[in-house]
Amino acid sequence: MDEKDDEQLGAFDPNIPEEGPSAPPPGWLECVTGYDEPKGGDTGDQLYPPPPAYNPQPENDRNASVPNVRVPQVSESVAREALLKFVGSKWSKSSKPARNLTFKELQPITMYRYRLETYTESRSSAWEMEPFTGQVVDGPQYGMSPPPWDVPVQQPQRYIDVILKVRVPHSSFVKTCHRCHGCGRTRCTHCAGRGNRRCPFCHGHGRRTTGHGRNNRAGNNRCSSCQGRGRKRCTFCHGHGHKTCPTCQGNRNLMHFIQLTITWKNHVFEFVPDRLPEFPLKKFEKVSGDAFFIDESILVYPIVGFPDQEICDASRKASQEHHSKFSPQQVPCRILQQRQTIELVPITHAFYSYSGKDYDYFVYGLENKVFTPKYPSACVIL
């Protein structure tokens, strides 16, 4: 911008309005049947409970039976190979003890993992808006908007968390932008619409003081930053005194519509009996087991008659907890499907000797992972 342009700064245009609120004010939006009345402002999503017909009801005195299963055995060669693989991933450990150890006992341990998965769906809505540039407006002239739970959507694969956002049919309409009042521009708040601001270097005097202490005086040194004018071009609006409306992006009108958010979520209850004080239960989280029992339905029922009573107790607790927690009275969602499984997680306690000392380790999971509390050193002191 040259000096001639600078001299024209400061022309105030009263026709450009001050910037309004970023969200539509109360009473600005239309009411749509089946959806909560818009309150104005950023009020967040409104959750809707599913109709009674969407809610499955549990049957009394129902239960599930489980077949018997055999505990798998791990051979010495498998146990040794697992330990060699483990120490091979640890640069600080030598493979010599793993190659030369002598097994004393391989003790298989029965370890079950119970899991209950409850897959739910919830629906919420919120008013959204976008600049109107002439796009098709699916408004009430095409019919009434369907209620939240009647809006058709494609169901995702079960037991995977998914969030889908869709526009509610026939809920769109166009209104003047509330932020710029249909002008497409708003007055710059940094310069009050004048395009320039007081120079921060000379504080608007156009001159700079010279000297120090007693000799400090206002000289005739013209401020080099503002060229003696005392004001500088506003860097926020580039000297125009106004900015393009950030809401309508200069299009003057907005299209408002209801956006429906559908949330599918998998809630998991998992239980492993804590019977091995020397083995951390968290290790089971990263390994898989043999799922010999899978029970899947809209609602599943507690397991009875299984040899491990702790698994039966966990199944009963999980079933009651999820039926209560995800009922419409507690959470505005519906249960789509439940699945309970029992996995046999193989674990073998290996006892061995090396250099006259006794040691032990665990081989666990279908991946044959290893956990060892203590591993012998390959060094020999002469």
Side-chain angles (χ1 to χ4, degrees), residues 6-52:
D6 272 344
E7 291 174 359
Q8 294 175 352
L9 292 176
F12 178 75
D13 187 350
N15 295 319
I16 298 178
E18 293 183 356
E19 187 173 302
S22 58
W28 191 265
L29 302 176
E30 307 287 343
C31 292
V32 178
T33 303
Y35 295 83
D36 280 7
E37 182 178 349
K39 300 178 177 61
D42 297 320
T43 56
D45 285 16
Q46 174 64 44
L47 280 164
Y48 298 95

Side-chain angles (χ1 to χ4, degrees), residues 27-216:
W28 191 265
L29 302 176
E30 307 287 343
C31 292
V32 178
T33 303
Y35 295 83
D36 280 7
E37 182 178 349
K39 300 178 177 61
D42 297 320
T43 56
D45 285 16
Q46 174 64 44
L47 280 164
Y48 298 95
Y54 284 79
N55 302 315
Q57 298 299 318
E59 300 178 28
N60 295 328
D61 302 323
R62 283 285 302 275
N63 53 64
S65 58
V66 182
N68 292 325
V69 64
R70 293 181 60 187
V71 179
Q73 302 285 332
V74 171
S75 65
E76 289 189 2
S77 61
V78 172
R80 190 186 302 273
E81 184 62 33
L83 186 59
L84 283 168
K85 185 177 179 181
F86 170 76
V87 298
S89 65
K90 310 291 182 181
W91 66 270
S92 60
K93 298 185 185 298
S94 169
S95 63
K96 183 178 178 181
R99 291 196 308 268
N100 300 324
L101 62 82
T102 301
F103 284 108
K104 300 180 68 176
E105 182 185 2
L106 295 177
Q107 181 183 354
I109 301 170
T110 303
M111 187 63 69
Y112 298 110
R113 174 166 56 198
Y114 172 80
R115 181 185 288 116
L116 173 64
E117 298 171 89
T118 299
Y119 197 54
T120 63
E121 176 185 350
S122 61
R123 298 194 174 198
S124 62
S125 72
W127 279 98
E128 298 292 340
M129 56 192 172
E130 63 183 23
F132 179 65
T133 58
Q135 63 267 45
V136 176
V137 180
D138 180 16
Q141 67 271 24
Y142 296 106
M144 290 183 60
S145 295
W149 285 93
D150 288 346
V151 176
V153 293
Q154 182 70 37
Q155 293 283 335
Q157 182 180 342
R158 295 292 168 89
Y159 309 111
I160 296 178
D161 293 350
V162 176
I163 296 178
L164 176 66
K165 296 181 182 293
V166 297
R167 193 169 300 195
V168 173
H170 318 321
S171 67
S172 303
F173 61 89
V174 176
K175 292 198 75 170
T176 300
C177 178
H178 57 274
R179 194 164 192 174
C180 65
H181 305 287
C183 182
R185 297 175 295 176
T186 58
R187 190 180 303 166
C188 178
T189 57
H190 298 277
C191 65
R194 298 198 174 275
N196 59 62
R197 307 172 71 194
R198 187 175 65 171
C199 176
F201 296 96
C202 66
H203 306 291
H205 299 297
R207 303 181 307 277
R208 293 208 191 186
T209 57
T210 59
H212 301 280
R214 285 186 172 183
N215 296 325
N216 185 29

Side-chain angles (χ1 to χ4, degrees), residues 62-67 114-118 159 291-304 315 319 323 337-343:
R62 283 285 302 275
N63 53 64
S65 58
V66 182
Y114 172 80
R115 181 185 288 116
L116 173 64
E117 298 171 89
T118 299
Y159 309 111
F292 64 91
F293 172 77
I294 301 175
D295 179 24
E296 188 170 1
S297 183
I298 295 178
L299 291 178
V300 297
Y301 297 90
I303 293 171
V304 296
S315 173
S319 179
H323 287 174
Q337 195 85 352
Q338 285 188 316
R339 178 172 64 187
Q340 61 180 345
T341 59
I342 302 178
E343 292 177 275

